[in-house]
Amino acid sequence: MKAREFMRRDLTSVELDTTVAEVIYLMEQSGLSSLPVLDDEGVLVGVISEKDLIRAALPGYLEMLHSASFLPSLNQLTRRLREMADQPVSEYMRSDVIFVRPDDEDLQIADTLIRHELKQVPVVDEQGHLVGVIRRIDLLYHLI
Amino acid sequence: MILTVTLNPTLDKFYWVDRLPLSLERVEEEILIRARKASSSAGGKGINVSVFLACMGLETVAMGFLAGHTGQIILRDVLARGVTANFVWIEGETRTNVTIIERGREYHPVKIHEEGPPVPKRAVELFLRKYQRMLKRAEYVVLGGALPPGIPVDFYRELASLAREQGLRTVVHAGGAALKAALEAGPYFVKPDVREASQVADLPAKTEQEIIAAGKYTMEKGVQVCLISHHVTGDILITPEGVWELQARVPLSRYKNLVGADDALVAGVLYRLVEGDPLLDAVKFGMAAAIASAEIEPKLCLAKPAIEQEMKEVEVVRKEGG
């Protein structure tokens, strides 16, 4: 089955000048752990995830993604996140975006998700426009 | 692609009851009304149009503002129906509109409509950027429903003007001051909402003559197609070429749920126009979609054969022109 047949047609996204505070707010509201970043033409130019934000706030301490036991408190993270709050997402997003096409087959998409350890992957058309997203759960739900 | 805008979406909640109390006055104890059936679905005029069009196989994107837990339910429902969603998230809770339908009085439902959360200025800016981007991929734009708090009354005019600059046809399915302002942008097709006040741009629109005069006023503003409700089972179509009355030969007793019938009408017309049908045929199909939707308990009839069957019940009478 092709991506277009089971992708989630949700275009929730942010723009290059969206602030970090707005990104965190949108992630909380939408329940998404990563968001596509679009340019003025709606072309996918990046992805920002919770992991990217934590990495930016606490560089060198990525292990906290697995355990926060080594930290005396979260004060450092709070202070850094507040410093980042008004900065544009373009400063922290990943530009080497992994994506799939609407006509890609489910097996190919499963391989992309597993190989790159992604929770979700954007779906873009030939012009680079975002047309949907496929989460791991969408694939599992489709396969069962 | 057809872009629909629902600035104040709603979770439409329906309760079907056997009997409502005759009067709420002089009641000393609380009133308990047991529903024999309940259902809920994503709603708001634009969303309803998108749901219908997606079911007919057209590509459609729904835009607007969502908030909170109710917003999540609406998003999930919209996506499940094949509609592409591109909403801006705001603080608060998207509204819920309740309709209570009493057995035997299905055409006189009791409705409770919430106001909806206020939309902050920053969210409006984000929406406008998304909207302008989506216009580049659209053929038609549908602007539908009430404006939420925080949205300027002339917002539909701005949206219709932006669509017009892109050479797109705009459909405005709204009432009151929002419609009046939108007319200044000369939309292609208007379906005035006359439920709360029988008026179109401050002009009375109750009698046949008043409706025709109001429709002709919209033509002066550049509108090409104006459809105005006339009684429960009829509509009057006004175009620069003439005036037609559309009448459904269906007794009121056959109606089970009138909510959404107007949206099915707009969506049906649009669907057939996109498919290349002449206007009168498209309007006839739209009217049939409205009747078919009103005759079932779910909000929208999404079965094309049932709609085509209802076309036999639609009578079109030329009143003026041609």
Side-chain angles (χ1 to χ4, degrees):
Chain A
M1 192 176 271
K2 294 182 187 303
R4 67 169 76 252
E5 295 170 71
F6 68 96
M7 68 183 183
R8 188 175 154 90
R9 295 173 187 272
D10 183 359
L11 306 187
T12 301
S13 56
V14 293
E15 293 164 31
L16 287 163
D17 61 352
T18 304
T19 64
V20 168
E22 288 173 328
V23 167
I24 293 172
Y25 170 75
L26 183 55
M27 283 178 175
E28 196 279 329
Q29 287 282 306
S30 64
L32 297 169
S33 59
S34 73
L35 293 167
V37 184
L38 309 183
D39 69 8
D40 288 344
E41 298 298 315
V43 172
L44 181 72
V45 290
V47 167
I48 185 78
S49 67
E50 295 164 344
K51 198 172 173 178
D52 298 324
L53 293 171
I54 295 170
R55 184 188 288 124
L58 288 176
Y61 291 92
L62 256 186
E63 288 73 17
M64 80 162 286
L65 293 170
H66 304 291
S67 167
S69 59
F70 66 96
L71 289 171
S73 76
L74 290 178
N75 291 347
Q76 189 187 346
L77 179 61
T78 305
R79 193 173 63 247
R80 181 67 187 124
L81 279 176
R82 285 181 182 162
E83 285 168 7
M84 290 163 58
D86 292 330
Q87 293 177 26
V89 69
S90 55
E91 299 282 324
Y92 304 102
M93 69 181 196
R94 277 176 294 119
S95 303
D96 54 337
V97 190
I98 295 157
F99 60 85
V100 297
R101 298 284 189 201
D103 287 327
D104 284 354
E105 293 291 339
D106 47 11
L107 180 61
Q108 196 179 343
I109 295 159
D111 178 60
T112 302
L113 286 167
I114 293 165
R115 201 151 36 89
H116 298 283
E117 294 182 352
L118 298 172
K119 285 185 182 171
Q120 59 188 51
V121 62
V123 185
V124 300
D125 66 13
E126 293 300 321
Q127 289 76 42
H129 294 134
L130 178 72
V131 294
V133 63
I134 294 174
R135 305 169 302 176
R136 283 185 200 167
I137 192 65
D138 298 321
L139 190 63
L140 292 174
Y141 186 75
H142 152 70
L143 293 174
I144 199 165
Chain B
M1 183 269 281
I2 295 169
L3 183 63
T4 68
V5 174
T6 313
L7 299 172
N8 203 1
T10 162
L11 182 68
D12 282 329
K13 182 89 190 171
F14 295 95
Y15 294 108
W16 283 269
V17 303
D18 285 333
R19 203 170 69 85
L20 282 172
L22 289 175
S23 168
L24 296 177
E25 291 173 16
R26 287 180 303 192
V27 172
E28 289 167 7
E29 294 176 11
E30 66 177 28
I31 298 170
L32 172 65
I33 302 165
R34 291 200 187 276
R36 64 179 168 81
K37 188 179 170 184
S39 79
S40 57
S41 59
K45 293 184 183 306
I47 287 176
N48 288 341
V49 170
S50 268
V51 166
F52 183 97
L53 294 175
C55 199
M56 295 295 144
L58 296 189
E59 192 192 347
T60 175
V61 177
M63 295 189 74
F65 301 97
L66 289 178
H69 180 60
T70 314
Q72 290 287 356
I73 298 170
I74 289 172
L75 177 65
R76 193 183 166 92
D77 194 22
V78 163
L79 293 173
R81 290 162 181 268
V83 175
T84 299
N86 195 356
F87 289 91
V88 173
W89 288 87
I90 58 173
E91 300 246 13
E93 193 70 30
T94 295
R95 65 189 179 144
T96 298
N97 285 349
V98 175
T99 303
I100 305 170
I101 301 169
E102 185 182 13
R103 193 192 294 273
R105 287 176 53 82
E106 285 82 357
Y107 50 92
H108 281 311
V110 175
K111 298 181 185 179
I112 303 169
H113 283 195
E114 293 179 18
E115 191 178 34
V119 180
K121 212 172 174 181
R122 175 65 178 152
V124 175
E125 288 168 15
L126 292 173
F127 172 85
L128 278 171
R129 287 167 71 169
K130 277 177 182 277
Y131 175 75
Q132 284 176 279
R133 225 166 35 217
M134 294 312 299
L135 285 181
K136 294 174 186 165
R137 297 196 237 168
E139 293 169 70
Y140 275 90
V141 178
V142 180
L143 309 174
L147 302 180
I151 293 289
V153 74
D154 63 349
F155 198 56
Y156 279 157
R157 176 174 61 193
E158 185 177 354
L159 299 185
S161 297
L162 289 168
R164 193 174 177 152
E165 282 169 19
Q166 295 287 327
L168 306 180
R169 285 179 164 180
T170 308
V171 180
V172 181
H173 184 19
L179 172 68
K180 186 182 174 187
L183 287 176
E184 299 303 320
Y188 170 72
F189 171 13
V190 294
K191 175 76 179 79
D193 183 354
V194 291
R195 288 173 303 170
E196 284 186 41
S198 298
Q199 284 188 336
V200 176
D202 296 335
L203 296 171
K206 197 160 191 177
T207 68
E208 185 181 305
Q209 287 315 309
E210 287 173 348
I211 288 171
I212 293 171
K216 286 181 176 173
Y217 171 76
T218 69
M219 302 292 115
E220 290 170 20
K221 298 289 182 184
V223 173
Q224 297 296 302
V225 181
C226 179
L227 259 173
I228 304 178
S229 296
H230 186 215
H231 306 309
V232 181
T233 57
D235 266 72
I236 292 179
L237 168 69
I238 304 105
T239 79
E241 284 75 44
V243 176
W244 292 263
E245 176 152 32
L246 294 106
Q247 197 63 41
R249 291 179 297 232
V250 176
L252 283 177
S253 58
R254 262 174 53 187
Y255 291 141
K256 291 194 168 65
N257 183 0
L258 290 171
V259 175
D262 250 18
D263 307 331
L265 192 159
V266 171
V269 174
L270 205 47
Y271 166 58
R272 284 302 175 98
L273 286 177
V274 171
E275 294 285 291
D277 277 12
L279 178 64
L280 266 188
D281 291 350
V283 171
K284 199 170 173 184
F285 182 84
M287 190 78 182
I291 300 168
S293 294
E295 286 185 346
I296 57 173
E297 287 188 342
K299 199 167 48 178
L300 298 170
C301 175
L302 302 170
K304 212 189 294 183
I307 296 170
E308 282 164 349
Q309 183 70 21
E310 292 290 356
M311 288 182 79
K312 296 174 192 159
E313 307 288 356
V314 181
E315 189 178 55
V316 182
V317 179
R318 183 186 284 277
K319 308 291 285 188
E320 285 181 23

